[in-house]
Amino acid sequence: MNMSAQYSRSLLVGISEYPEGNGWAEINGRADTDRLQPILEEKGFCVTKLNGEAATYRQIIQSLENLAAQTKTGDGVYIHFSCHGQPFKDEDGDEADGWDEALIPYDAPVRYEDGR
């Protein structure tokens, strides 16, 4: 992290509970972002936080696009995801292990199963 940054921005995404019936267990994602926010603000970061239902695919993409548009050369950026992730079959052959990885937003429709 560049402590002499002109401006410091952060995006924190934390999901503890997913919609019922989607197969994702409860984790402590929100607790992670709640702990990080005051630390980053003390360091001068402007923090955007998406927790729980706010951490949808569209909101995450929009927040990343906003962060990219606002950030200038020399700015500090910290991005943190605390949510579920999962592997899925590599379709284009660029992964040595045959698997790509994905972060799981709040509104992910299903868990990946090979052949689906």
Side-chain angles (χ1 to χ4, degrees):
M1 177 170 43
N2 181 0
M3 296 310 288
S4 63
Q6 296 172 4
Y7 195 81
S8 297
R9 294 175 181 82
S10 177
L11 173 62
L12 306 178
V13 177
I15 306 169
S16 292
E17 297 176 13
Y18 287 80
E20 189 173 324
N22 69 2
W24 297 108
E26 185 174 327
I27 56 174
N28 294 316
R30 183 179 185 127
D32 294 346
T33 60
D34 287 347
R35 288 183 182 114
L36 279 170
Q37 183 175 4
I39 295 167
L40 290 168
E41 288 174 342
E42 183 179 300
K43 301 279 185 196
F45 279 79
C46 176
V47 176
T48 299
K49 186 164 65 166
L50 300 175
N51 279 336
E53 293 178 15
T56 64
Y57 174 81
R58 181 175 296 286
Q59 279 300 114
I60 293 168
I61 295 299
Q62 184 64 54
S63 295
L64 288 168
E65 288 173 348
N66 289 345
L67 183 64
Q70 295 168 356
T71 301
K72 308 293 182 231
T73 300
D75 287 353
V77 173
Y78 179 84
I79 300 171
H80 179 90
F81 285 87
S82 187
C83 58
H84 279 290
Q86 72 176 353
F88 59 97
K89 194 171 189 172
D90 177 25
E91 301 279 328
D92 61 9
D94 68 335
E95 298 291 336
D97 66 357
W99 294 95
D100 282 313
E101 293 78 25
L103 297 169
I104 307 303
Y106 179 82
D107 59 343
V110 295
R111 288 181 68 130
Y112 174 81
E113 293 180 29
D114 194 13
R116 259 210 209 179

